[in-house]
Amino acid sequence: VYHAEGRRASAERPAAGCRAPAAGPGSRFELARGGAACMMRGVMFTHAYTIGRPAGVPVRVHVTVLALLPLVLIQFPPAQWGLALLAAAGVMASIVLHELGHAWAARRLGCRAREIVLLPVGGVASIERMPAGPRGEILLAAAGPAVSLVLALALHAAAWALGRTGARDLSL
């Protein structure tokens, strides 16, 4: 578990947003609020590599995502591997946009997003602290799904427009 400055947390100095339980053998940090980010930062996010910084927020991909690429590829014949990689990149891009929605809302609410980590099951936007009050928390939580909804509507409109022009076959 790490502080925002990169220092390792200890029982005397828990990371921001965490509190140290009663000292004792085997004691672990617990969250005061805001998800499992404190427990996960030290364990799960150590093998993630930065792939970009949109809006100043580092986007990192965990090595397990790369390990799943062969599993994606074997689902398609070799002639369609380009299409499979394009589809996988599209899914990851939509996850990044979803998490950037949370990061944007955090910034608007006076909080800071530390990073976005892409995992095989989705993504995690690490927010430095949760906004004060339930209204801010609801806005922060709803921002990602709102971005996903706008993206889905835009893609649906594009598919409809392509269908109207007769461009129905999108195979590569």
Side-chain angles (χ1 to χ4, degrees):
V1 178
Y2 295 89
H3 291 279
E5 306 85 46
R7 293 176 300 151
R8 186 143 179 87
S10 66
E12 296 80 36
R13 286 185 175 187
C18 300
R19 61 179 171 81
S27 64
R28 297 172 57 174
F29 289 114
E30 295 177 8
L31 292 178
R33 57 196 288 215
C38 293
M39 294 302 289
M40 292 169 55
R41 274 194 69 73
V43 178
M44 184 173 275
F45 295 166
T46 55
H47 300 291
Y49 300 95
T50 303
I51 59 171
R53 293 179 181 275
V57 180
V59 175
R60 304 174 72 204
V61 62
H62 195 266
V63 294
T64 54
V65 172
L66 300 175
L68 287 177
L69 276 179
L71 294 175
V72 170
L73 291 179
I74 64 171
Q75 302 300 316
F76 295 88
Q80 293 184 345
W81 282 1
L83 181 61
L85 290 175
L86 184 64
V91 168
M92 286 296 143
S94 70
I95 293 170
V96 169
L97 290 173
H98 174 100
E99 297 302 331
L100 280 172
H102 292 298
W104 175 81
R107 182 178 293 167
R108 298 281 300 175
L109 293 167
C111 304
R112 185 176 81 85
R114 266 183 262 161
E115 66 183 356
I116 293 170
V117 179
L118 300 176
L119 302 166
V121 295
V124 176
S126 297
I127 308 298
E128 200 168 79
R129 65 178 176 78
M130 291 298 287
R135 181 181 179 275
E137 289 185 23
I138 289 170
L139 290 173
L140 182 62
V147 169
S148 294
L149 178 64
V150 169
L151 181 61
L153 292 173
L155 290 173
H156 182 74
W160 179 82
L162 285 173
R164 300 269 303 165
T165 62
R168 296 183 191 279
D169 184 20
L170 298 176
S171 62
L172 296 177

